Coordinates of all heavy atoms in Angstrom, one line a residue:
M1 N 0.9 -1.2 0.0 CA 0.0 0.0 0.0 C 0.9 1.2 0.0 O 1.8 1.3 0.8 CB -0.9 0.0 1.2 CG -1.8 1.2 1.4 SD -2.8 0.9 2.8 CE -3.5 2.5 2.9
T2 N 0.6 2.2 -0.9 CA 1.3 3.4 -0.9 C 0.5 4.5 -0.4 O -0.7 4.5 -0.5 CB 1.8 3.7 -2.3 OG1 0.7 3.9 -3.2 CG2 2.7 2.6 -2.9
T3 N 1.1 5.5 0.1 CA 0.4 6.7 0.6 C 0.9 7.9 -0.2 O 2.1 8.0 -0.6 CB 0.6 7.0 2.1 OG1 2.0 7.1 2.3 CG2 0.0 5.8 2.9
D4 N 0.0 8.8 -0.5 CA 0.4 10.0 -1.2 C 1.1 10.9 -0.3 O 0.6 11.2 0.8 CB -0.9 10.7 -1.8 CG -1.6 9.9 -2.8 OD1 -0.9 9.1 -3.5 OD2 -2.8 10.1 -3.0
P5 N 2.2 11.5 -0.7 CA 2.9 12.5 0.1 C 2.0 13.7 0.2 O 1.3 14.0 -0.7 CB 4.2 12.8 -0.6 CG 4.0 12.3 -2.0 CD 2.9 11.3 -2.0
I6 N 2.1 14.4 1.3 CA 1.3 15.6 1.5 C 2.0 16.7 0.7 O 3.2 17.0 0.8 CB 1.1 16.0 2.9 CG1 0.3 14.9 3.6 CG2 0.5 17.4 3.1 CD1 0.2 15.1 5.1
R7 N 1.2 17.4 -0.2 CA 1.7 18.5 -1.0 C 2.0 19.7 -0.2 O 1.5 19.9 0.9 CB 0.7 18.9 -2.1 CG 0.4 17.9 -3.1 CD -0.5 18.4 -4.2 NE -1.0 19.7 -4.0 CZ -2.3 20.1 -4.3 NH1 -3.1 19.2 -4.7 NH2 -2.7 21.3 -4.1
P8 N 2.9 20.5 -0.6 CA 3.1 21.8 0.0 C 1.8 22.6 0.1 O 0.9 22.4 -0.7 CB 4.1 22.5 -0.8 CG 4.8 21.5 -1.7 CD 3.7 20.4 -1.8
A9 N 1.7 23.5 1.0 CA 0.5 24.2 1.2 C 0.2 25.2 0.0 O 1.1 25.8 -0.5 CB 0.5 25.0 2.5
D10 N -1.0 25.2 -0.4 CA -1.5 26.2 -1.3 C -1.9 27.4 -0.5 O -1.9 28.5 -1.0 CB -2.7 25.7 -2.1 CG -2.4 24.5 -3.0 OD1 -1.4 24.5 -3.7 OD2 -3.2 23.5 -2.9
L11 N -2.3 27.2 0.7 CA -2.8 28.3 1.6 C -2.4 27.9 3.0 O -2.5 26.7 3.4 CB -4.3 28.3 1.5 CG -5.1 29.3 2.4 CD1 -4.7 30.7 2.1 CD2 -6.5 29.1 2.2
T12 N -1.9 28.8 3.8 CA -1.6 28.6 5.2 C -2.5 29.5 6.1 O -2.6 30.7 5.8 CB -0.1 28.8 5.5 OG1 0.7 27.9 4.7 CG2 0.2 28.6 7.0
V13 N -3.1 28.9 7.1 CA -3.9 29.6 8.0 C -3.2 29.6 9.4 O -2.9 28.5 9.9 CB -5.3 29.0 8.2 CG1 -6.1 29.7 9.2 CG2 -6.0 29.1 6.8
D14 N -2.7 30.7 9.9 CA -2.0 30.8 11.1 C -3.0 31.1 12.3 O -3.5 32.1 12.4 CB -0.9 31.9 11.1 CG 0.0 31.9 12.3 OD1 -0.3 31.1 13.2 OD2 1.0 32.7 12.2
G15 N -3.1 30.0 13.1 CA -4.0 30.1 14.3 C -3.2 30.1 15.6 O -3.8 29.8 16.6
T16 N -2.0 30.5 15.5 CA -1.1 30.5 16.7 C -1.8 31.3 17.8 O -2.2 32.5 17.6 CB 0.3 31.1 16.4 OG1 0.9 30.3 15.3 CG2 1.2 31.1 17.6
G17 N -1.9 30.7 19.0 CA -2.5 31.4 20.1 C -4.0 31.5 20.1 O -4.6 32.0 21.1
L18 N -4.7 31.0 19.1 CA -6.1 31.0 19.1 C -6.8 29.8 19.6 O -6.2 28.7 19.4 CB -6.6 31.2 17.6 CG -6.2 32.4 16.8 CD1 -6.7 32.4 15.4 CD2 -6.6 33.7 17.6
L19 N -7.9 29.9 20.3 CA -8.7 28.8 20.7 C -9.3 28.3 19.4 O -9.5 29.0 18.5 CB -9.7 29.2 21.7 CG -9.2 29.7 23.1 CD1 -10.3 30.1 24.0 CD2 -8.4 28.6 23.8
C20 N -9.7 27.0 19.5 CA -10.2 26.4 18.2 C -11.5 27.1 17.7 O -11.6 27.1 16.5 CB -10.5 24.9 18.5 SG -9.0 23.9 18.2
V21 N -12.3 27.6 18.5 CA -13.5 28.3 18.0 C -13.1 29.5 17.1 O -13.5 29.6 16.0 CB -14.3 28.8 19.2 CG1 -15.4 29.8 18.7 CG2 -14.9 27.7 20.0
T22 N -12.1 30.3 17.6 CA -11.6 31.4 16.8 C -10.9 30.9 15.6 O -10.9 31.5 14.5 CB -10.8 32.3 17.7 OG1 -11.5 32.7 18.8 CG2 -10.4 33.6 16.9
L23 N -10.1 29.8 15.8 CA -9.3 29.3 14.6 C -10.3 28.8 13.5 O -10.1 29.1 12.4 CB -8.5 28.1 15.1 CG -7.9 27.2 14.0 CD1 -6.8 28.0 13.3 CD2 -7.2 26.0 14.6
L24 N -11.4 28.1 13.9 CA -12.3 27.7 12.9 C -13.0 28.9 12.2 O -13.2 28.8 11.0 CB -13.4 26.8 13.5 CG -12.9 25.4 13.9 CD1 -14.0 24.6 14.6 CD2 -12.3 24.6 12.7
L25 N -13.3 30.0 12.9 CA -13.8 31.2 12.2 C -12.8 31.7 11.2 O -13.2 32.0 10.1 CB -14.1 32.2 13.3 CG -15.3 32.0 14.2 CD1 -15.3 32.9 15.4 CD2 -16.6 32.1 13.4
R26 N -11.5 31.8 11.6 CA -10.5 32.3 10.7 C -10.3 31.3 9.5 O -10.3 31.7 8.3 CB -9.2 32.4 11.4 CG -8.1 32.9 10.5 CD -6.8 33.2 11.2 NE -7.0 34.4 12.1 CZ -6.0 34.8 12.9 NH1 -4.9 34.3 13.0 NH2 -6.3 35.9 13.6
L27 N -10.3 30.0 9.8 CA -10.1 29.0 8.7 C -11.2 29.1 7.7 O -11.0 29.1 6.5 CB -10.0 27.6 9.4 CG -10.0 26.4 8.4 CD1 -8.8 26.5 7.5 CD2 -10.0 25.1 9.2
R28 N -12.5 29.1 8.2 CA -13.6 29.1 7.3 C -13.6 30.4 6.4 O -13.8 30.3 5.2 CB -14.9 29.2 8.1 CG -16.1 29.0 7.3 CD -17.4 29.5 8.0 NE -18.5 29.4 7.1 CZ -18.8 30.4 6.2 NH1 -18.0 31.4 6.0 NH2 -19.9 30.3 5.4
K29 N -13.2 31.5 7.0 CA -13.2 32.8 6.2 C -12.1 32.7 5.1 O -12.3 33.1 4.0 CB -12.9 33.9 7.2 CG -12.8 35.3 6.5 CD -14.1 35.7 5.8 CE -13.9 37.1 5.2 NZ -15.0 37.4 4.3
Q30 N -10.9 32.1 5.5 CA -9.8 32.1 4.5 C -10.0 31.1 3.4 O -9.3 31.2 2.4 CB -8.5 32.0 5.3 CG -8.1 33.2 6.1 CD -6.7 33.1 6.7 OE1 -6.1 32.1 6.7 NE2 -6.3 34.3 7.2
I31 N -10.8 30.1 3.6 CA -10.9 29.0 2.6 C -12.2 29.2 1.8 O -12.4 28.5 0.8 CB -10.9 27.6 3.2 CG1 -12.1 27.3 4.1 CG2 -9.6 27.3 3.9 CD1 -12.3 25.9 4.5
E32 N -13.0 30.3 2.1 CA -14.3 30.4 1.5 C -14.3 30.5 0.0 O -15.2 30.0 -0.6 CB -15.0 31.5 2.3 CG -15.5 32.7 1.6 CD -16.1 33.7 2.6 OE1 -16.9 33.4 3.4 OE2 -15.6 34.8 2.5
D33 N -13.3 31.0 -0.6 CA -13.2 31.1 -2.1 C -12.2 30.2 -2.7 O -11.9 30.3 -3.9 CB -13.0 32.6 -2.5 CG -14.1 33.5 -2.1 OD1 -15.3 33.1 -2.2 OD2 -13.8 34.7 -1.7
A34 N -11.6 29.4 -1.9 CA -10.5 28.5 -2.4 C -11.2 27.3 -3.2 O -12.2 26.8 -2.7 CB -9.7 28.0 -1.3
P35 N -10.6 26.9 -4.3 CA -11.2 25.8 -5.0 C -10.9 24.4 -4.4 O -10.0 24.3 -3.6 CB -10.4 25.9 -6.4 CG -9.1 26.5 -6.0 CD -9.4 27.4 -4.9
A36 N -11.7 23.5 -4.8 CA -11.5 22.1 -4.4 C -10.1 21.6 -4.8 O -9.6 22.0 -5.8 CB -12.5 21.2 -5.1
G37 N -9.5 20.8 -3.9 CA -8.1 20.3 -4.2 C -7.1 21.2 -3.5 O -5.9 20.8 -3.4
T38 N -7.5 22.4 -3.0 CA -6.5 23.3 -2.3 C -6.1 22.6 -1.0 O -6.9 22.0 -0.3 CB -7.2 24.6 -1.9 OG1 -7.6 25.3 -3.1 CG2 -6.3 25.5 -1.1
V39 N -4.7 22.5 -0.9 CA -4.2 22.0 0.4 C -3.9 23.1 1.3 O -3.2 24.1 1.0 CB -2.9 21.2 0.1 CG1 -2.2 20.8 1.4 CG2 -3.2 20.0 -0.8
V40 N -4.5 23.0 2.5 CA -4.4 24.1 3.5 C -3.6 23.5 4.7 O -3.8 22.4 5.2 CB -5.8 24.5 4.0 CG1 -5.7 25.6 5.1 CG2 -6.7 24.9 2.9
H41 N -2.6 24.3 5.1 CA -1.8 23.9 6.3 C -2.3 24.9 7.4 O -2.3 26.1 7.2 CB -0.3 24.1 6.1 CG 0.3 23.0 5.2 ND1 1.6 22.9 5.0 CD2 -0.3 22.0 4.5 CE1 1.8 21.9 4.2 NE2 0.7 21.3 3.9
V42 N -2.7 24.3 8.5 CA -3.3 25.1 9.6 C -2.3 25.0 10.8 O -2.0 23.9 11.3 CB -4.7 24.5 10.0 CG1 -5.3 25.3 11.2 CG2 -5.6 24.5 8.8
I43 N -1.8 26.2 11.2 CA -1.0 26.2 12.4 C -1.9 26.4 13.6 O -2.7 27.4 13.6 CB 0.0 27.4 12.3 CG1 0.9 27.3 11.0 CG2 0.9 27.5 13.5 CD1 1.7 28.5 10.6
A44 N -1.9 25.5 14.5 CA -2.8 25.5 15.6 C -2.1 25.1 16.9 O -1.6 24.0 17.0 CB -4.0 24.6 15.3
T45 N -2.1 26.0 17.9 CA -1.4 25.7 19.1 C -2.4 25.3 20.2 O -2.0 24.9 21.3 CB -0.6 27.0 19.6 OG1 -1.5 28.1 19.7 CG2 0.5 27.2 18.7
D46 N -3.7 25.4 20.0 CA -4.7 25.0 21.0 C -4.6 23.5 21.1 O -4.6 22.7 20.2 CB -6.1 25.4 20.5 CG -7.2 25.1 21.5 OD1 -7.0 24.2 22.3 OD2 -8.2 25.8 21.5
P47 N -4.5 23.0 22.4 CA -4.4 21.6 22.6 C -5.6 20.8 22.1 O -5.5 19.6 21.9 CB -4.3 21.4 24.1 CG -3.9 22.8 24.6 CD -4.4 23.8 23.6
A48 N -6.7 21.4 21.9 CA -7.9 20.8 21.3 C -7.8 20.6 19.8 O -8.7 19.8 19.3 CB -9.2 21.5 21.7
A49 N -6.9 21.2 19.1 CA -6.9 21.2 17.7 C -6.8 19.8 17.1 O -7.5 19.5 16.1 CB -5.7 22.1 17.2
P50 N -6.0 18.9 17.7 CA -5.9 17.5 17.1 C -7.3 16.8 17.1 O -7.4 15.8 16.4 CB -4.9 16.8 18.0 CG -4.1 17.9 18.6 CD -5.0 19.1 18.8
L51 N -8.2 17.2 18.0 CA -9.5 16.6 18.0 C -10.5 17.5 17.2 O -11.3 16.9 16.4 CB -10.0 16.5 19.5 CG -9.2 15.7 20.4 CD1 -9.7 15.8 21.8 CD2 -9.2 14.3 20.0
D52 N -10.5 18.8 17.3 CA -11.4 19.6 16.7 C -11.3 19.7 15.2 O -12.3 19.7 14.4 CB -11.4 21.1 17.3 CG -11.9 21.1 18.7 OD1 -12.5 20.1 19.1 OD2 -11.7 22.1 19.3
L53 N -10.0 19.8 14.7 CA -9.9 19.9 13.2 C -10.4 18.7 12.5 O -11.1 18.9 11.5 CB -8.4 20.2 12.9 CG -8.0 21.7 13.2 CD1 -6.5 21.8 13.0 CD2 -8.7 22.6 12.3
P54 N -10.0 17.5 12.9 CA -10.6 16.3 12.1 C -12.1 16.2 12.3 O -12.8 15.8 11.3 CB -9.9 15.1 12.7 CG -9.2 15.5 13.9 CD -9.0 17.0 13.8
A55 N -12.6 16.6 13.4 CA -14.1 16.5 13.6 C -14.8 17.5 12.7 O -15.8 17.2 12.1 CB -14.4 16.8 15.1
W56 N -14.2 18.7 12.6 CA -14.8 19.8 11.7 C -14.7 19.3 10.3 O -15.7 19.4 9.5 CB -14.1 21.1 11.9 CG -14.7 22.2 11.1 CD1 -15.8 22.9 11.4 CD2 -14.1 22.7 9.9 NE1 -16.0 23.8 10.4 CE2 -15.0 23.7 9.5 CE3 -13.0 22.5 9.1 CZ2 -14.8 24.5 8.3 CZ3 -12.8 23.2 8.0 CH2 -13.7 24.2 7.6
C57 N -13.5 18.8 9.9 CA -13.4 18.3 8.5 C -14.4 17.2 8.2 O -15.0 17.2 7.1 CB -12.0 17.8 8.2 SG -10.7 19.1 8.1
H58 N -14.6 16.3 9.1 CA -15.6 15.2 8.9 C -17.0 15.8 8.8 O -17.8 15.4 7.9 CB -15.5 14.3 10.1 CG -16.5 13.2 10.0 ND1 -16.5 12.1 9.1 CD2 -17.7 13.0 10.7 CE1 -17.5 11.3 9.3 NE2 -18.3 11.8 10.2
M59 N -17.3 16.8 9.6 CA -18.6 17.4 9.6 C -18.9 18.1 8.2 O -20.0 18.0 7.7 CB -18.8 18.4 10.7 CG -20.1 19.1 10.8 SD -20.2 20.4 12.0 CE -19.5 21.8 11.1
V60 N -17.9 18.8 7.7 CA -18.2 19.6 6.5 C -17.8 18.8 5.2 O -18.3 19.2 4.2 CB -17.5 21.0 6.5 CG1 -17.9 21.8 7.6 CG2 -16.0 20.8 6.5
G61 N -17.0 17.8 5.3 CA -16.7 17.0 4.2 C -15.3 17.2 3.5 O -15.0 16.7 2.5
H62 N -14.4 18.0 4.2 CA -13.1 18.2 3.7 C -12.2 17.0 4.1 O -12.6 16.3 5.1 CB -12.5 19.5 4.2 CG -13.1 20.7 3.7 ND1 -13.3 20.9 2.3 CD2 -13.6 21.8 4.3 CE1 -13.9 22.1 2.1 NE2 -14.1 22.7 3.3
D63 N -11.1 16.8 3.4 CA -10.2 15.7 3.8 C -9.2 16.2 4.8 O -8.4 17.1 4.6 CB -9.4 15.2 2.5 CG -10.3 14.6 1.5 OD1 -11.4 14.0 1.8 OD2 -10.0 14.8 0.3
Y64 N -9.2 15.5 6.0 CA -8.2 15.9 7.0 C -7.0 15.0 6.7 O -7.1 13.8 6.7 CB -8.8 15.5 8.4 CG -7.8 15.8 9.5 CD1 -7.4 17.1 9.9 CD2 -7.3 14.7 10.2 CE1 -6.5 17.3 10.9 CE2 -6.4 15.0 11.3 CZ -6.0 16.2 11.6 OH -5.1 16.5 12.6
L65 N -5.9 15.7 6.6 CA -4.6 15.0 6.2 C -3.7 14.7 7.4 O -2.8 14.0 7.3 CB -3.8 15.9 5.2 CG -4.6 16.2 3.9 CD1 -3.7 17.2 3.1 CD2 -5.0 15.0 3.2
G66 N -4.1 15.2 8.6 CA -3.4 14.9 9.8 C -2.3 15.9 10.1 O -2.0 16.9 9.4
P67 N -1.6 15.6 11.2 CA -0.5 16.5 11.6 C 0.7 16.3 10.7 O 0.9 15.2 10.2 CB -0.2 16.0 13.0 CG -0.7 14.6 13.1 CD -1.9 14.5 12.2
L68 N 1.4 17.4 10.4 CA 2.5 17.4 9.5 C 3.8 17.4 10.3 O 3.8 18.0 11.4 CB 2.5 18.6 8.6 CG 1.1 18.8 7.8 CD1 1.2 20.0 7.0 CD2 0.9 17.6 7.0
P69 N 4.8 16.7 9.8 CA 6.1 16.7 10.6 C 6.7 18.1 10.7 O 6.6 18.9 9.8 CB 6.9 15.7 9.8 CG 6.3 15.6 8.4 CD 4.9 16.0 8.6
G70 N 7.4 18.3 11.8 CA 8.1 19.6 12.0 C 8.0 20.0 13.4 O 7.3 19.4 14.2
S71 N 8.6 21.1 13.7 CA 8.6 21.6 15.0 C 7.4 22.4 15.4 O 7.1 22.6 16.6 CB 9.9 22.5 15.3 OG 9.8 23.6 14.4
R72 N 6.6 22.9 14.5 CA 5.4 23.6 14.7 C 4.2 22.7 14.7 O 4.2 21.8 13.9 CB 5.3 24.8 13.7 CG 6.4 25.8 13.8 CD 6.4 26.7 12.7 NE 5.2 27.6 12.9 CZ 5.0 28.6 12.0 NH1 5.7 28.7 10.9 NH2 3.9 29.4 12.2
P73 N 3.2 23.0 15.4 CA 1.9 22.2 15.3 C 1.1 22.6 14.1 O 0.4 23.5 14.1 CB 1.2 22.5 16.6 CG 1.7 23.8 17.0 CD 3.1 24.0 16.5
V74 N 1.3 21.8 13.0 CA 0.7 22.2 11.7 C -0.1 20.9 11.3 O 0.4 19.8 11.4 CB 1.7 22.5 10.6 CG1 1.0 22.8 9.3 CG2 2.6 23.7 11.1
Y75 N -1.3 21.2 10.8 CA -2.2 20.1 10.4 C -2.6 20.4 8.9 O -2.8 21.5 8.5 CB -3.5 20.1 11.2 CG -3.1 20.0 12.7 CD1 -2.8 21.1 13.5 CD2 -2.9 18.7 13.3 CE1 -2.5 21.0 14.8 CE2 -2.5 18.6 14.6 CZ -2.3 19.8 15.4 OH -1.9 19.6 16.7
G76 N -2.8 19.3 8.1 CA -3.1 19.4 6.7 C -4.6 19.1 6.5 O -5.2 18.2 7.1
I77 N -5.2 19.9 5.6 CA -6.5 19.7 5.1 C -6.5 19.9 3.6 O -5.9 20.7 3.0 CB -7.5 20.8 5.7 CG1 -7.5 20.7 7.2 CG2 -8.9 20.8 5.1 CD1 -8.2 21.8 7.9
R78 N -7.3 19.0 2.9 CA -7.5 19.2 1.5 C -9.0 19.5 1.3 O -9.9 18.7 1.7 CB -7.1 17.9 0.7 CG -7.3 18.1 -0.8 CD -6.9 16.9 -1.6 NE -5.5 16.5 -1.4 CZ -5.1 15.4 -0.8 NH1 -6.0 14.5 -0.3 NH2 -3.9 15.1 -0.6
L79 N -9.3 20.6 0.6 CA -10.6 21.0 0.4 C -11.3 20.2 -0.7 O -10.6 19.8 -1.7 CB -10.7 22.5 0.0 CG -10.0 23.5 0.9 CD1 -10.2 24.9 0.4 CD2 -10.5 23.3 2.4
T80 N -12.6 19.9 -0.5 CA -13.3 19.1 -1.4 C -14.4 19.9 -2.1 O -14.9 20.9 -1.6 CB -13.9 17.9 -0.7 OG1 -14.8 18.3 0.3 CG2 -12.9 17.0 -0.1
A81 N -14.8 19.4 -3.2 CA -15.9 20.1 -4.0 C -17.2 20.0 -3.4 O -18.1 20.8 -3.6 CB -15.9 19.6 -5.4
N82 N -17.5 18.9 -2.7 CA -18.8 18.6 -2.1 C -18.9 19.0 -0.7 O -19.8 18.5 0.0 CB -19.2 17.2 -2.4 CG -18.2 16.2 -1.7 OD1 -17.1 16.6 -1.3 ND2 -18.5 15.0 -1.7
A83 N -18.1 19.9 -0.2 CA -18.1 20.3 1.2 C -19.5 21.0 1.6 O -20.0 21.7 0.8 CB -17.0 21.2 1.6
R84 N -19.9 20.7 2.8 CA -21.2 21.3 3.2 C -20.9 22.7 3.8 O -19.9 22.9 4.5 CB -21.8 20.4 4.3 CG -22.4 19.1 3.7 CD -22.9 18.1 4.7 NE -21.8 17.5 5.5 CZ -21.0 16.5 5.1 NH1 -21.1 16.1 3.8 NH2 -20.1 15.9 5.9
A85 N -21.8 23.6 3.5 CA -21.6 25.0 4.0 C -21.9 25.1 5.5 O -22.7 24.3 6.0 CB -22.5 25.9 3.2
T86 N -21.2 26.0 6.1 CA -21.5 26.3 7.5 C -21.8 27.8 7.7 O -21.5 28.6 6.8 CB -20.2 25.9 8.4 OG1 -19.1 26.7 8.0 CG2 -19.9 24.4 8.3
R87 N -22.3 28.1 8.9 CA -22.6 29.5 9.1 C -21.3 30.3 9.3 O -20.3 29.8 9.9 CB -23.4 29.6 10.4 CG -24.8 29.1 10.3 CD -25.7 29.2 11.5 NE -25.2 30.1 12.5 CZ -25.6 30.0 13.8 NH1 -26.4 29.1 14.2 NH2 -25.2 30.9 14.6
A88 N -21.3 31.5 8.7 CA -20.1 32.4 8.8 C -19.7 32.7 10.2 O -18.6 32.8 10.6 CB -20.3 33.6 8.0
D89 N -20.7 32.8 11.1 CA -20.5 33.2 12.5 C -20.3 32.0 13.4 O -20.0 32.1 14.6 CB -21.6 34.1 13.0 CG -22.9 33.4 13.1 OD1 -23.2 32.5 12.3 OD2 -23.8 33.8 13.9
A90 N -20.6 30.8 12.9 CA -20.5 29.6 13.7 C -20.2 28.4 12.8 O -21.1 27.7 12.4 CB -21.8 29.4 14.4
P91 N -18.9 28.2 12.4 CA -18.5 27.2 11.4 C -18.7 25.8 11.9 O -18.5 24.9 11.1 CB -17.0 27.5 11.2 CG -16.6 28.3 12.4 CD -17.8 29.0 12.9
W92 N -19.1 25.6 13.1 CA -19.5 24.2 13.6 C -20.9 23.9 13.4 O -21.4 22.9 13.8 CB -19.0 24.1 15.0 CG -19.5 25.2 15.9 CD1 -20.7 25.2 16.6 CD2 -19.0 26.5 16.1 NE1 -20.9 26.4 17.3 CE2 -19.8 27.2 16.9 CE3 -17.8 27.1 15.6 CZ2 -19.5 28.5 17.3 CZ3 -17.6 28.4 16.0 CH2 -18.4 29.1 16.8
H93 N -21.7 24.9 12.8 CA -23.1 24.7 12.6 C -23.4 24.7 11.1 O -22.9 25.6 10.4 CB -24.0 25.8 13.2 CG -24.0 25.7 14.7 ND1 -24.7 24.7 15.4 CD2 -23.4 26.5 15.6 CE1 -24.5 24.9 16.7 NE2 -23.7 26.0 16.9
P94 N -24.2 23.8 10.5 CA -24.5 23.9 9.1 C -25.2 25.2 8.7 O -26.0 25.8 9.6 CB -25.5 22.7 8.9 CG -25.3 21.8 10.1 CD -24.9 22.7 11.2
A95 N -25.0 25.6 7.5 CA -25.7 26.8 7.0 C -27.1 26.5 6.8 O -27.5 25.4 6.5 CB -25.0 27.3 5.7
S96 N -28.0 27.5 7.0 CA -29.4 27.3 6.8 C -29.7 27.1 5.3 O -29.2 27.8 4.5 CB -30.2 28.5 7.3 OG -31.5 28.4 7.1
T97 N -30.5 26.1 5.0 CA -30.9 25.9 3.6 C -32.2 26.5 3.3 O -32.6 26.5 2.2 CB -30.9 24.4 3.3 OG1 -31.8 23.7 4.2 CG2 -29.5 23.8 3.4
S98 N -32.9 27.0 4.3 CA -34.2 27.6 4.0 C -34.0 29.1 4.0 O -33.2 29.7 4.6 CB -35.2 27.2 5.1 OG -34.8 27.7 6.4
S99 N -34.9 29.7 3.3 CA -34.9 31.2 3.2 C -36.2 31.7 3.8 O -37.3 31.0 3.7 CB -34.7 31.7 1.8 OG -35.8 31.2 1.0
R100 N -36.1 32.8 4.4 CA -37.3 33.5 4.9 C -37.8 34.6 4.0 O -37.0 35.4 3.5 CB -37.0 34.0 6.3 CG -36.7 32.9 7.3 CD -36.5 33.4 8.6 NE -36.1 32.2 9.5 CZ -35.9 32.3 10.8 NH1 -35.9 33.5 11.4 NH2 -35.6 31.2 11.5
G101 N -39.1 34.7 3.9 CA -39.6 35.7 2.9 C -40.1 36.9 3.6 O -40.4 37.3 4.5

């Protein structure tokens, strides 16, 4: 079995010093116009990041690539075309699909 090497980042999101809630807000904003296939490296120092990032990726449908080797806490994500939208103010909640008239 072979594994694909993780590509260099197309986009880096620096969440140094941020709690995961704020990190996800920043991440969602910075990837909002990025195309599918974009590899994002997320710098995250919050101890909850190794749990929250894969859970968020699973929820929205992006590919979580895992922690990357190196001295900094960096995690890889590959954006997918079929990702589910989330609320801009709460990226852990699905975007509303209904409209009010």
Side-chain angles (χ1 to χ4, degrees):
M1 178 176 170
T2 61
T3 58
D4 293 333
I6 295 175
R7 291 188 355 222
D10 298 311
L11 174 65
T12 298
V13 176
D14 188 352
T16 303
L18 300 178
L19 295 176
C20 273
V21 171
T22 308
L23 170 64
L24 289 176
L25 288 167
R26 180 176 289 180
L27 174 61
R28 187 197 176 283
K29 178 67 177 163
Q30 290 187 349
I31 67 171
E32 122 184 306
D33 294 324
T38 297
V39 172
V40 182
H41 288 184
V42 181
I43 302 167
T45 54
D46 185 331
L51 300 173
D52 289 348
L53 286 172
W56 183 78
C57 286
H58 177 74
M59 181 187 81
V60 299
H62 292 309
D63 297 327
Y64 178 68
L65 304 175
L68 306 178
S71 61
R72 297 170 71 182
V74 180
Y75 305 89
I77 296 171
R78 183 178 302 111
L79 305 183
T80 61
N82 58 349
R84 291 173 287 287
T86 60
R87 290 180 21 200
D89 64 334
W92 51 93
H93 292 288
S96 175
T97 56
S98 64
S99 60
R100 296 181 181 182

